[in-house]
Amino acid sequence: TNPLYIKADSLAKSIYTITRSFPKDESYGITSQIRRAVLSIILNIIEGFARQSPAEYRRFLIISYGSLKETSYLIDFAHEQRYLNHDTRDKLLLLTEELGKILWSIIHKS
């Protein structure tokens, strides 16, 4: 199986699980925003792959990379707001770094 897909899927599922504990008054704020950003990562990977064109795949991976950076910022922001503890933030950011390295290498090889 594809390590890019596995990491992106793992990150999305982790974010969804963790954001269930975010304050209810953030449902339309950071909870919604981080969930949309993290889903955009994997959905753009899938859509780009489905296009079956190397140029299109690369374009969608670039969009995915942007969503990854947005997700990383939101993880830090959630930590600053005390919605995430240090360990959870560090685990999530490690996953985003690993995913970012894979994405970056594929983008620059194509």
Side-chain angles (χ1 to χ4, degrees):
T1 45
N2 185 327
L4 177 62
Y5 178 86
I6 292 167
K7 292 272 186 205
D9 182 62
S10 177
L11 181 61
K13 288 174 179 170
S14 295
I15 291 290
Y16 260 74
T17 299
I18 288 160
T19 55
R20 286 189 188 110
S21 67
F22 281 17
K24 292 298 169 220
D25 66 342
E26 283 292 351
S27 292
Y28 299 104
I30 191 171
T31 303
S32 173
Q33 190 66 36
I34 197 169
R35 284 178 170 190
R36 280 185 281 127
V38 79
L39 280 179
S40 176
I41 297 166
I42 193 159
L43 292 176
N44 278 293
I45 291 166
I46 292 166
E47 185 172 353
F49 183 76
R51 299 284 175 122
Q52 299 188 359
S53 151
E56 282 289 288
Y57 184 50
R58 184 175 187 276
R59 187 173 73 82
F60 277 88
L61 290 185
I62 291 168
I63 295 166
S64 183
Y65 191 80
S67 296
L68 177 66
K69 292 301 178 184
E70 182 181 355
T71 301
S72 296
Y73 171 80
L74 289 164
I75 289 166
D76 269 331
F77 185 82
H79 175 255
E80 289 169 8
Q81 298 302 308
R82 299 196 173 112
Y83 302 156
L84 296 175
N85 64 37
H86 293 292
D87 288 345
T88 302
R89 180 205 54 191
D90 291 350
K91 286 177 190 166
L92 290 172
L93 288 178
L94 180 61
L95 193 50
T96 65
E97 285 175 31
E98 292 168 352
L99 180 54
K101 286 176 186 174
I102 296 168
L103 266 172
W104 191 255
S105 73
I106 296 169
I107 289 166
H108 289 284
K109 282 180 189 168
S110 42

